[in-house]
Amino acid sequence: MQVNLQKGARLNSKFSRSMIHLLMSIGNKPMICCLNPSCPQENPSWSEDMNYCTSCGQPLVLLLDRYQPIGRMSADESTVAYFGRDREGLVHNDCIIRQLPIHDPNVRELVELEVKRLQELSRENSQLCEVFNYHIDDKYFYLIQSFIEGQNLEKYLEHHGVFSEEEVISFLTSLLPVFQSIHDNNIIHRDLRLENIIRRNDGELVLTNFAVTRQSTENIFQLDTGTPGYAAFELKEESISTPASDLFSLGAACFHLLTGKHPQIAFGYFGYDWTSKWRDYLNQSSQGETSSIISDNLGMIIDKLLQKNERDRYRSVRDVSKDLRLVDRQNTRQEIMQDLSQHFAVGSTTRKVPSKVSINRIMNSNDSPSSDPNTPPVDLHNSPIKLLQESLDELPHKRMLAIAGISLLGSLAATLIIFPIIQGQYRAVNGSTSLDINSDPTDLNISVDRQNDPNRSTIESFDEAIERNPRDANNYFERGNARAHSNDKRGAILDYTKSIALDPKESEVYSRRGNAHSAIGNKKAAIEDYTQVIKLEPARVDGYFHRAIDRSNIGDKKGALEDYNQVIKLEPNRADAYFDRGNTRAALGDKKGAIEDLTKSIQYKPNRAATYKSRGNARDAMGDKQGAAADYLRAAKLSKK
């Protein structure tokens, strides 16, 4: 697909609604755009009464006899975007038509399934660009989406300047729930960058331009895998994408917002080593201004998002959200403590009253005992705190009232700030057990008892247990098992990974994660997990057996044979091991050895039709037609049973 990238970029930067309406009617005639991405015309839009493009000769068409392409908006190596109109639309009839090449003609069903899922999600979530429809022809897939009034974040950054820490936290807080939604539905964006995030005119961020919608690790479209600098290593180098791949891109977006520099610049200098050097760019920006200074807490989150190795990265959006909430709370506490320290400073001639924002945060902090959503908010307009602020600004004879108010404020701050800190330290030393104050209903012992409640699902029960005790590896392991049983293999993998991070020496967790990896088609990851099982327990038979199966599946027959040898050494009476080793030997050309193994398998399990059929094939290849016929006959009789 040959596209003039400079031309596409120029079109994208100039395109506006006024230009759109100009293109829609030139000489009072409705326009239609040529859909040939290689058309030599810069923006091949012609009068609607024409049947063919005069530049390339391609027919001018309405998609689905409804959607009219009007003008080319942008183009890159994998996608061309056109502004369009829904001729049957009643009110909001403007749309965007994205054109992607198809390299595999056998993808229609997968595409339709995936796009329908995205279509449903986009209708429920205002932060996803709505998918109206789609169309597939012999060469291209067309995704028809809503036109969003606003500015992409890359353009917004150019005018706004680099983001502060608070703005980056707000950016993450806004987008993380959107990614949670798509990842929960087995959709991966694969091309997250500032250009693909639209800031709507009302300030809401909208996620657009999914590079490839996928429901498994297998590619539907063989497109360019992400943007250099933004694309995770496994995506760019191995064409493998997981939810963690999107999280890497989210970290790259944070870097872009904080420094004003495109991650591709850093990638061009250092390759993927840029992810360990990103802080070097915080003292400079593309606009020549000083970049944002950020806290160590936010820096550590970005560090973890930008890990080159997928396994060192955050595994799920929930994990990022949890750390982000902690950063926000810590920043709030620091701000409040600074206010209080200035206010109560010894020898201070001017006493600073904590700001309304700080007080509000104290009163509504999620860390405070009064954070119950059923508790009514504090009315600062008529509170003692408000009276205190007024008293400091009024006549000297009210200073006694102010001093009394300061004492009250100090007590309040001690209760709301110091108590949660002490409680947190207590939990760190004593595990998950809650301080027994008024029979706290969030105590872990109660939440564990709720797991026996038949009205709650197993997964929800473990969600609750994990919320109360996020350091318990077994809770993640058990929730992973529950997710695996409900066929949520990806969710299971995320939980097993968290369990391993907390307790890396439990072989069963690697084994279960290997099974889940294998089930979704990621055989290499499964083999690595089974290898770890064997390292931890060298005599564990299922580690060798499962690794042998997946080695065989990826074509490593010799490696599989070695593993089957080990299985049989540990369990010499195992019929399925002889059966699989026999088939592996046959694939390697050792027909005689195959017959021996298959005969041994029949000895231990005499009524399996597949074994007779495989031995019949091996005998036939060896020229033993009579023996082959007898095996085939026996296989046929057993199959009927």
Side-chain angles (χ1 to χ4, degrees):
M1 184 176 186
Q2 296 177 349
V3 176
N4 187 322
L5 297 182
Q6 292 182 343
K7 180 192 301 182
R10 185 164 65 251
L11 282 169
N12 187 52
S13 64
K14 290 183 177 180
F15 224 84
S16 64
R17 181 166 283 279
S18 60
M19 185 176 181
I20 288 166
H21 288 292
L22 178 63
L23 280 170
M24 286 169 57
S25 180
I26 297 179
N28 295 322
K29 290 184 178 181
M31 305 301 292
I32 188 167
C33 185
C34 173
L35 292 176
N36 177 8
S38 300
C39 182
Q41 185 79 9
E42 180 173 347
N43 197 9
S45 295
W46 311 104
S47 173
E48 189 187 25
D49 56 13
M50 298 178 66
N51 295 322
Y52 296 91
C53 174
T54 60
S55 292
C56 67
Q58 178 157 312
L60 301 173
V61 297
L62 292 178
L63 295 176
L64 301 173
D65 293 323
R66 174 176 179 175
Y67 300 99
Q68 175 185 351
I70 293 170
R72 189 182 294 169
M73 293 181 65
S74 64
D76 56 34
E77 292 180 352
S78 61
T79 309
V80 182
Y82 303 87
F83 179 79
R85 165 167 282 186
D86 178 4
R87 295 174 62 136
E88 297 181 16
L90 298 177
V91 181
H92 302 294
N93 55 2
D94 294 342
C95 62
I96 301 297
I97 301 170
R98 296 187 64 234
Q99 179 189 52
L100 302 91
I102 293 180
H103 298 281
D104 182 355
N106 301 312
V107 300
R108 178 180 293 271
E109 291 184 4
L110 290 175
V111 169
E112 290 179 345
L113 178 65
E114 197 67 20
V115 171
K116 285 177 181 177
R117 185 182 291 117
L118 186 57
Q119 194 171 22
E120 291 172 4
L121 283 176
S122 68
R123 287 172 179 168
E124 298 169 358
N125 193 327
S126 64
Q127 288 186 262
L128 288 173
C129 184
E130 185 174 354
V131 177
F132 291 151
N133 216 324
Y134 64 92
H135 173 66
I136 306 172
D137 61 23
D138 292 338
K139 293 183 179 180
Y140 299 106
F141 166 65
Y142 297 92
L143 190 67
I144 301 158
Q145 299 175 284
S146 61
F147 178 82
I148 301 170
E149 290 275 12
Q151 187 178 40
N152 73 53
L153 273 191
E154 190 169 44
K155 295 296 178 186
Y156 181 76
L157 181 65
E158 291 177 7
H159 296 96
H160 174 276
V162 295
F163 278 36
S164 65
E165 172 161 343
E166 290 74 15
E167 288 173 316
V168 170
I169 290 175
S170 177
F171 163 80
L172 289 171
T173 302
S174 175
L175 282 186
L176 284 172
V178 188
F179 279 98
Q180 184 66 63
S181 174
I182 64 173
H183 290 169
D184 282 350
N185 284 274
N186 296 326
I187 296 173
I188 302 170
H189 190 287
R190 299 184 82 244
D191 195 19
L192 176 69
R193 46 194 162 106
L194 296 190
E195 189 179 357
N196 289 337
I197 304 168
I198 305 295
R199 186 179 184 274
R200 218 196 311 262
N201 291 339
D202 62 4
E204 186 174 48
L205 300 182
V206 182
L207 195 57
T208 69
N209 296 353
F210 285 66
V212 179
T213 54
R214 296 150 63 94
Q215 67 180 60
S216 70
T217 57
E218 299 299 323
N219 287 334
I220 289 177
F221 302 115
Q222 299 296 325
L223 302 180
D224 180 55
T225 49
T227 302
Y230 269 105
F233 178 83
E234 68 276 5
L235 177 62
K236 195 71 180 170
E237 302 299 325
E238 302 172 1
S239 295
I240 295 172
S241 63
T242 69
S245 307
D246 278 347
L247 296 181
F248 178 95
S249 300
L250 202 58
C254 292
F255 166 83
H256 199 167
L257 292 171
L258 287 167
T259 66
K261 289 188 175 294
H262 196 291
Q264 188 169 2
I265 296 173
F267 180 80
Y269 280 115
F270 302 110
Y272 277 98
D273 287 343
W274 81 269
T275 58
S276 63
K277 303 176 185 292
W278 66 270
R279 280 182 174 79
D280 296 346
Y281 290 85
L282 283 176
N283 296 324
Q284 51 184 313
S285 79
S286 58
Q287 288 91 4
E289 60 194 59
T290 302
S291 294
S292 301
I293 303 301
I294 64 170
S295 67
D296 289 341
N297 295 324
L298 179 60
M300 286 188 288
I301 288 179
I302 297 175
D303 279 337
K304 194 165 183 179
L305 287 169
L306 289 177
Q307 288 296 310
K308 177 182 176 181
N309 190 329
E310 178 196 355
R311 291 175 182 166
D312 297 329
R313 217 176 294 147
Y314 283 107
R315 304 300 297 168
S316 72
V317 170
R318 289 184 179 89
D319 292 339
V320 185
S321 298
K322 193 172 295 182
D323 281 358
L324 191 66
R325 285 195 297 271
L326 183 61
V327 168
D328 198 29
R329 291 171 188 171
Q330 289 173 337
N331 288 350
T332 299
R333 275 206 188 108
Q334 288 172 3
E335 179 183 327
I336 295 169
M337 294 303 291
Q338 286 173 0
D339 277 356
L340 290 173
S341 64
Q342 290 179 30
H343 179 68
F344 293 111
V346 178
S348 172
T349 55
T350 23
R351 298 176 183 261
K352 179 184 175 184
V353 176
S355 66
K356 285 186 180 180
V357 174
S358 298
I359 295 169
N360 228 341
R361 285 180 168 180
I362 294 175
M363 306 303 277
N364 296 288
S365 168
N366 289 333
D367 285 346
S368 72
S370 60
S371 62
D372 188 336
N374 297 318
T375 302
V378 175
D379 181 6
L380 290 178
H381 294 286
N382 298 299
S383 68
I385 297 171
K386 173 64 177 176
L387 296 175
L388 169 63
Q389 289 176 312
E390 292 176 350
S391 69
L392 293 177
D393 296 326
E394 292 186 9
L395 298 175
H397 69 270
K398 292 190 176 181
R399 287 186 179 175
M400 290 302 293
L401 176 62
I403 292 171
I406 289 170
S407 300
L408 175 63
L409 180 62
S411 300
L412 177 65
T415 302
L416 298 181
I417 298 172
I418 297 173
F419 172 76
I421 295 173
I422 295 172
Q423 189 181 43
Q425 291 173 340
Y426 180 92
R427 286 178 174 169
V429 173
N430 296 282
S432 61
T433 306
S434 300
L435 289 171
D436 186 14
I437 296 180
N438 300 324
S439 300
D440 183 359
T442 62
D443 188 273
L444 176 62
N445 294 328
I446 297 176
S447 72
V448 170
D449 289 340
R450 288 177 185 168
Q451 293 178 26
N452 298 321
D453 184 350
N455 296 319
R456 296 176 64 89
S457 73
T458 305
I459 294 175
E460 288 175 341
S461 298
F462 283 114
D463 286 343
E464 186 176 337
I466 288 168
E467 184 69 25
R468 303 296 167 244
N469 186 11
R471 305 299 299 172
D472 188 336
N474 188 62
N475 281 337
Y476 290 100
F477 173 67
E478 294 295 349
R479 188 175 70 177
N481 292 338
R483 284 177 163 173
H485 287 311
S486 66
N487 210 31
D488 178 13
K489 305 299 184 184
R490 294 183 184 279
I493 289 170
L494 295 176
D495 277 337
Y496 293 143
T497 301
K498 188 69 175 180
S499 180
I500 288 168
L502 294 169
D503 183 6
K505 295 184 178 180
E506 182 55 59
S507 65
E508 182 62 22
V509 190
Y510 288 100
S511 180
R512 299 291 182 94
R513 189 175 71 173
N515 294 343
H517 274 307
S518 184
I520 66 171
N522 193 350
K523 306 299 184 182
K524 290 183 179 179
I527 289 169
E528 291 177 2
D529 278 336
Y530 298 140
T531 300
Q532 189 63 32
V533 170
I534 293 166
K535 286 181 179 178
L536 292 169
E537 291 190 56
R540 183 162 174 166
V541 175
D542 66 325
Y544 294 101
F545 189 72
H546 290 147
R547 188 173 71 174
I549 293 171
D550 281 335
R551 278 179 163 178
S552 182
N553 285 333
I554 66 170
D556 181 13
K557 302 296 184 182
K558 290 184 178 179
L561 184 61
E562 292 174 359
D563 281 336
Y564 286 130
N565 289 342
Q566 191 64 30
V567 172
I568 290 170
K569 180 179 179 181
L570 293 168
E571 287 189 9
N573 300 330
R574 186 163 178 164
D576 56 351
Y578 286 106
F579 173 76
D580 286 344
R581 190 174 73 172
N583 287 328
T584 303
R585 282 179 162 178
L588 290 170
D590 181 11
K591 306 299 182 181
K592 185 178 180 180
I595 293 170
E596 291 175 356
D597 275 339
L598 294 166
T599 301
K600 198 76 172 176
S601 180
I602 290 169
Q603 177 183 337
Y604 294 114
K605 193 172 184 179
N607 296 319
R608 186 178 183 184
T611 313
Y612 286 97
K613 182 179 178 181
S614 292
R615 191 174 69 174
N617 292 339
R619 283 177 165 175
D620 185 45
M622 290 285 291
D624 181 7
K625 304 299 181 182
Q626 186 176 357
D631 278 338
Y632 292 145
L633 181 60
R634 181 61 176 163
K637 288 181 179 180
L638 289 172
S639 296
K640 288 181 180 180
K641 293 181 181 180

